[in-house]
Amino acid sequence: MNPLEISTKSPDEENYVKVDADEGLQIQVEQKEFLADEELETGHEIGDDEDGFIDTDGLLQCSSDSQTKGNIEEQEMAHPPCCGTRKLGNCTVLSPYLYQKTGFGVVGPHWCGVMCTFAILWGASLYFLIKASSIGPGTEIATAVFTVVCSIALMMTAFSDPGVVTSQLYQQAQRDRRNIDNWRWCDLCRVFQPPNAVHCPDCNLCISGYDHHCPWMGTCVGKKNMKAFTIFNLSWFCYLCFAILRISIGLGEM
């Protein structure tokens, strides 16, 4: 019997069929709400047939596509390719395998900024090395050491993971039984943010321990590259003071 057909054989049967009809209508309403969410997430259009029942083929297609997409993403995270690049928000992962293992090998959206920083650093260092060579080997060695330290710190800041928030971070917090009451949901990244995380519109990523987005570094400064960023700032400041005091004064005494 069609659940929407109401029989008038007897009062008991009539009441039973009315309840059955109400339940059938409620089920169809819930199915339509579910399908609306599926269409919004997958982009597939799922319609009803002539009798008002659900297009199960479209529903299975949506579920299959969602499951396939999820499996592909999980496989890429578990077994990243050794070569090639991929997008991470607005950032670019230069080496997915190296990034997965060490967190190194990603460049921010403003890669021109970090290239300019390298050009300024190496151009000034070349000038200082030429001048230091005429003062003495000690000054020349110190200049070379400052150049290497600044370059390494800059590379570790610009090409390291700044603290990208992933779904694994929230799952790990649940397994560790940490307090997750104050975690927030990000609709853009579709992940839960820890309390100190902020969504960066430039990188289009949620960054844990977000400090700021630095165009000179080409990326965000967050929890995981803050130490390298601090070392870089201290090293180039000391380098500048050394160049002004030692190299300039040394050249003036000659």
Side-chain angles (χ1 to χ4, degrees), residues 27-184:
I27 291 173
Q28 286 194 3
V29 169
E30 292 177 355
Q31 287 176 334
K32 288 181 181 295
E33 291 177 352
F34 171 76
L35 292 176
D37 294 337
E38 287 290 332
E39 291 178 359
L40 187 61
E41 291 183 1
T42 61
H44 288 281
E45 184 177 356
I46 306 173
D48 300 343
D49 59 15
E50 296 178 354
D51 297 328
F53 292 101
I54 301 302
D55 181 8
T56 55
D57 293 337
L59 177 59
L60 291 175
Q61 179 67 28
C62 286
S63 300
S64 176
D65 291 347
S66 299
Q67 184 177 3
T68 302
K69 181 179 179 181
N71 291 337
I72 292 174
E73 291 176 351
E74 290 178 1
Q75 291 174 4
E76 288 181 351
M77 292 297 295
H79 305 286
C82 296
C83 57
T85 62
R86 67 181 179 88
K87 297 296 291 184
L88 182 65
N90 292 336
C91 301
T92 303
V93 179
L94 303 176
S95 174
Y97 180 80
L98 182 63
Y99 176 76
Q100 183 71 18
K101 294 296 183 181
T102 65
F104 186 81
V106 58
V107 62
H110 299 135
W111 55 270
C112 293
V114 70
M115 293 297 104
C116 291
T117 306
F118 272 114
I120 294 172
L121 174 62
W122 290 342
S125 296
L126 179 61
Y127 173 80
F128 293 151
L129 282 170
I130 294 174
K131 297 299 182 180
S133 61
S134 60
I135 298 176
T139 304
E140 191 174 5
I141 292 173
T143 303
V145 169
F146 273 119
T147 302
V148 172
V149 172
C150 290
S151 299
I152 293 176
L154 178 57
M155 290 178 61
M156 294 303 297
T157 304
F159 301 127
S160 293
D161 175 16
V164 177
V165 178
T166 62
S167 58
Q168 287 79 9
L169 187 65
Y170 182 75
Q171 296 170 2
Q172 184 63 41
Q174 288 181 314
R175 287 192 294 267
D176 296 341
R177 299 182 180 278
R178 287 181 285 171
N179 183 18
I180 56 176
D181 294 338
N182 53 355
W183 288 51
R184 304 177 302 273

Side-chain angles (χ1 to χ4, degrees), residues 2-6 14-30:
N2 190 330
L4 299 181
E5 293 179 358
I6 299 177
E14 185 174 344
N15 291 334
Y16 173 77
V17 173
K18 285 182 179 180
V19 173
D20 195 12
D22 292 339
E23 292 179 353
L25 289 174
Q26 179 64 27
I27 291 173
Q28 286 194 3
V29 169
E30 292 177 355

